[in-house]
Amino acid sequence: MISLEHVYKSYENGTPAIEDVSFAMDDGEFAFLVGPSGSGKTTIIKLLTGEIASTEGRVVVNGYDMGTISRRRLPALRRTLGVIFQDFRLIDNRNVYENVALAMHVYGARNSEIKKRVPYVLGLVGLEGRMRDMPKELSGGEQQRVAIARALANNPRTIIADEPTGNIDPELSAELMKLLSKISEQGTTMLVVTHEHDLVNQFAKRVIRIVNGRLASDSKGWYQA
Amino acid sequence: MNRIGYYIREGVDSIFNHGLISFTTICVILACLLIMGSFASVAVNVNHIIGNLEDQVSILAFVDEKWTEQEARSLEKEIMAIDNVAAVTFVTRSQALDEFLQQQEDSPLFDEVEPTILRDRYLVYLKDVGLMAGTQNRLSEIPGIASVNAHLGIAQGMVAVRRIVNVVSVVMIALLMVVSVFIMANTLRLAAFTRRNEVAIVRMIGATNSFIRGPFNVEGMILGLTGSLIAYLAQWLIYITVTGRIAASSLSFLEIVPFSVLALPMLACFLAIGLLVAIFGSRIAIRNYMRI
Ligand SMILES: Nc1ncnc2c1ncn2[C@@H]1O[C@H](COP(=O)(O)OP(=O)(O)OP(=O)(O)O)[C@@H](O)[C@H]1O
Ligand SMILES: [Mg+2]
């Protein structure tokens, strides 16, 4: 469950990134978050993960009020989320397997579970053969798929994806989007930031559109830039 | 790689990633512990030796010469009733005279016999030599005690030496603890800086503080305990060498505490200090990384 109520965010340098944005998502809902570059999509995601705090307004994620959450409780909130970062955030001195396994260690998973689950999620994104490679030995798209696998590893309640297919060719993008859609059908809340109109239109899901930091539209179906 | 395995692997990797600094850290902790241990050893021995001497320090309480021996003996209860009195020995005037004469055997002149030689007396041993003055007063207040002879200067000297040695050791140990923690914190701060990218990432994917601290705690503990163990072995060697020298020298009359008595407490203290330094060092080092 995600809800934003009249949320504002200005960065320290005064840039107003988000102004009066409100929307809510039920458990198990799928939504695309779209908008031009610089419109504030990543800012919204950072508000949801507690990486930054809103200047005004209320942000609630899986029952945690992000305005009042203590530093001690933050890890517990984050463990309910699987986040695919726009900049991947892979650990560069660890191989693909370890990057995914580490997320499960953080979660407190058992070794036996980790040994089974990591190859499985890497298989879902088509990287089962690259487990021992280091991130810098992978292409941008491959690194992005590792980030997707890591977000799936703990079977989180909510997945937040910031351009998960930005570096991936159209066919594979569609594949991966189908994967996320299927996972969402099993009850995972799914918020996906993307630029790809074709993909969005193909899926006919809820589309939340941000322009210049403001909510421009929020409707089901397709959109045009 | 399980969670503990992860901490250990990370901690060990980090140690070897900046090997020279790890080595320096162990050396500093080793040096600090050796100085601490040496001060503590000296303190323990000084306390032991002075303690032995203090047990032999006594006050002489002379009974009024008009009192009969039986009357004089009856004072023992009253003397024992004084708090600080550990033991008393009664010496009759004739015993005292015999002793005196024995001492004077070689010298032909003993016409100047002290008047006190004609008195019965008590040798009073104390629990705490530091309270000698008070005990002396209490003794002199007892009716029938004609005079009290106490070497206050010696007693005060012993107490002072003990106190100085103890204070100096405690201050040195505290100071060196601080130095060790500081050095450890600096090393782990470097480790945290090297791993800052990883720390930021695991934090974003929900790692708790204890998960993030794990590798730094392991690194600190390995460095600290390695320092402790080497320091312990070195201290052992130093102790038996120095005490061996003392025993073979003109100071051999000093009653040295054998290492076997110190071994276990010293090992426990060294390991505990190693651990404490590790824990405090790592807390201080990654404080800043806990705020992300
Ligand atoms: N750390 C920051 N400090 C100051 N301004 C920032 C910061 N991060 C983002 N901004 C500004 O906030 C606005 C929104 O940025 P945001 O990253 O949310 O955009 P976005 O919609 O994710 O764009 P893109 O599609 O290019 O990823 C932009 O004008 C950006 O310049
Ligand atoms: Mg963005």
Side-chain angles (χ1 to χ4, degrees):
Chain A
M1 201 274 304
I2 289 172
S3 103
L4 285 83
E5 293 168 32
H6 305 291
V7 174
Y8 292 77
K9 172 67 191 178
S10 302
Y11 283 103
E12 280 72 20
N13 61 7
T15 318
I18 290 290
E19 288 177 293
D20 196 22
V21 169
S22 302
F23 68 87
M25 287 178 72
D26 284 333
D27 281 338
E29 205 181 337
F30 188 115
F32 287 114
L33 181 61
V34 302
S37 181
S39 56
K41 304 181 296 295
T42 298
T43 302
I44 290 174
I45 284 182
K46 287 181 174 173
L47 289 168
L48 296 176
T49 60
E51 197 177 341
I52 57 176
S54 64
T55 318
E56 231 181 283
R58 205 161 114 96
V59 179
V60 181
V61 181
N62 291 338
Y64 295 90
D65 185 330
M66 302 309 293
T68 58
I69 192 169
S70 68
R71 205 170 278 140
R72 292 191 68 80
R73 304 281 295 150
L74 202 53
L77 159 80
R78 286 177 177 164
R79 288 199 297 273
T80 69
L81 306 176
V83 184
I84 302 160
F85 300 96
Q86 192 168 15
D87 49 358
F88 318 148
R89 304 206 190 169
L90 300 179
I91 300 166
D92 47 20
N93 59 351
R94 267 168 210 293
N95 67 30
V96 168
Y97 178 92
E98 289 167 337
N99 262 282
V100 179
L102 189 54
M104 294 188 73
H105 281 301
V106 164
Y107 192 78
R110 290 166 178 278
N111 272 345
S112 53
E113 214 179 318
I114 294 175
K115 282 204 189 92
K116 271 190 288 180
R117 179 88 181 154
V118 175
Y120 172 72
V121 290
L122 284 170
L124 289 180
V125 297
L127 285 178
E128 60 273 63
R130 309 298 300 271
M131 292 202 291
R132 304 292 154 203
D133 289 350
M134 301 303 273
K136 57 173 162 293
E137 295 164 343
L138 303 180
S139 72
E142 286 164 342
Q143 291 182 33
Q144 196 150 35
R145 280 143 66 194
V146 177
I148 296 173
R150 183 178 64 188
L152 301 180
N154 292 319
N155 224 332
R157 195 169 149 190
T158 303
I159 290 179
I160 294 172
D162 199 350
E163 306 228 20
T165 58
N167 295 277
I168 298 171
D169 57 72
E171 279 120 77
L172 190 53
S173 288
E175 284 287 306
L176 289 170
M177 211 56 89
K178 259 182 224 150
L179 175 65
L180 294 183
S181 164
K182 220 163 40 187
I183 289 167
S184 146
E185 276 159 27
Q186 284 156 23
T188 305
T189 314
M190 189 81 60
L191 181 63
V192 180
V193 173
T194 187
H195 274 128
E196 296 167 78
H197 315 133
D198 297 348
L199 213 54
V200 173
N201 294 340
Q202 191 182 321
F203 275 84
K205 301 269 189 187
R206 179 180 175 188
V207 179
I208 299 164
R209 195 158 62 99
I210 305 288
V211 176
N212 276 332
R214 290 181 172 272
L215 193 70
S217 67
D218 182 352
S219 58
K220 200 159 168 112
W222 58 284
Y223 87 111
Q224 279 165 323
Chain B
M1 137 169 144
N2 65 23
R3 192 185 274 226
I4 302 294
Y6 164 76
Y7 296 161
I8 293 174
R9 201 196 113 168
E10 284 304 289
V12 171
D13 273 4
S14 181
I15 287 174
F16 288 104
N17 279 344
H18 40 258
L20 189 64
I21 286 163
S22 303
F23 177 75
T24 316
T25 311
I26 293 177
C27 289
V28 170
I29 287 169
L30 168 69
C32 285
L33 275 170
L34 275 182
I35 302 172
M36 286 187 216
S38 302
F39 269 90
S41 301
V42 169
V44 165
N45 276 291
V46 167
N47 279 308
H48 180 71
I49 290 164
I50 293 185
N52 277 345
L53 291 177
E54 281 176 355
D55 287 346
Q56 292 157 31
V57 169
S58 58
I59 301 181
L60 266 180
F62 295 100
V63 182
D64 194 315
E65 62 266 28
K66 293 191 280 292
W67 289 43
T68 68
E69 185 181 325
Q70 206 173 358
E71 284 169 331
R73 279 186 188 278
S74 70
L75 286 175
E76 180 169 335
K77 268 204 198 89
E78 258 178 279
I79 295 175
M80 280 304 286
I82 297 173
D83 288 340
N84 193 32
V85 173
V88 293
T89 312
F90 183 71
V91 182
T92 62
R93 54 191 101 178
S94 58
Q95 280 170 342
L97 188 61
D98 285 350
E99 245 172 69
F100 176 77
L101 290 176
Q102 248 166 27
Q103 281 168 21
Q104 301 297 316
E105 226 162 40
D106 307 330
S107 70
L109 304 163
F110 56 89
D111 36 12
E112 276 185 71
V113 175
E114 287 176 59
T116 54
I117 206 70
L118 299 171
R119 289 171 172 169
D120 296 326
R121 80 264 330 253
Y122 281 95
L123 278 169
V124 180
Y125 297 95
L126 305 181
K127 289 178 189 156
D128 181 352
V129 173
L131 304 174
M132 185 185 257
T135 311
Q136 184 186 15
N137 285 339
R138 294 282 302 277
L139 284 170
S140 55
E141 282 160 10
I142 295 176
I145 298 292
S147 74
V148 180
N149 197 349
H151 297 286
L152 279 179
I154 291 178
Q156 280 160 0
M158 286 177 172
V159 171
V161 169
R162 236 180 193 205
R163 190 169 296 157
I164 289 168
V165 169
N166 288 343
V167 168
V168 169
S169 337
V170 167
V171 169
M172 284 304 288
I173 287 170
L175 214 71
L176 290 165
M177 282 274 288
V178 173
V179 170
S180 308
V181 168
F182 177 77
I183 296 292
M184 176 67 86
N186 248 17
T187 304
L188 296 181
R189 198 171 288 146
L190 179 84
F193 183 76
T194 312
R195 295 180 71 245
R196 67 195 180 287
N197 175 43
E198 172 163 351
V199 167
I201 290 170
V202 294
R203 185 142 271 270
M204 280 312 297
I205 59 178
T208 55
N209 284 351
S210 67
F211 187 89
I212 291 172
R213 279 198 196 103
F216 301 102
N217 285 340
V218 168
E219 178 172 357
M221 277 193 275
I222 292 174
L223 296 178
L225 293 181
T226 307
S228 298
L229 279 178
I230 301 175
Y232 175 73
L233 295 177
Q235 189 76 59
W236 187 349
L237 215 76
I238 292 172
Y239 195 93
I240 53 178
T241 308
V242 171
T243 55
R245 287 270 169 82
I246 290 175
S249 74
S250 58
L251 293 172
S252 59
F253 63 89
L254 291 175
E255 217 180 288
I256 302 285
V257 180
F259 188 76
S260 59
V261 173
L262 293 179
L264 225 65
M266 188 176 276
L267 181 61
C269 286
F270 274 30
L271 292 179
I273 291 173
L275 273 183
L276 276 181
V277 166
I279 290 165
F280 278 105
S282 112
R283 292 250 154 181
I284 294 170
I286 56 176
R287 235 177 1 198
N288 294 336
Y289 294 89
M290 288 295 150
R291 301 214 181 99
I292 304 168

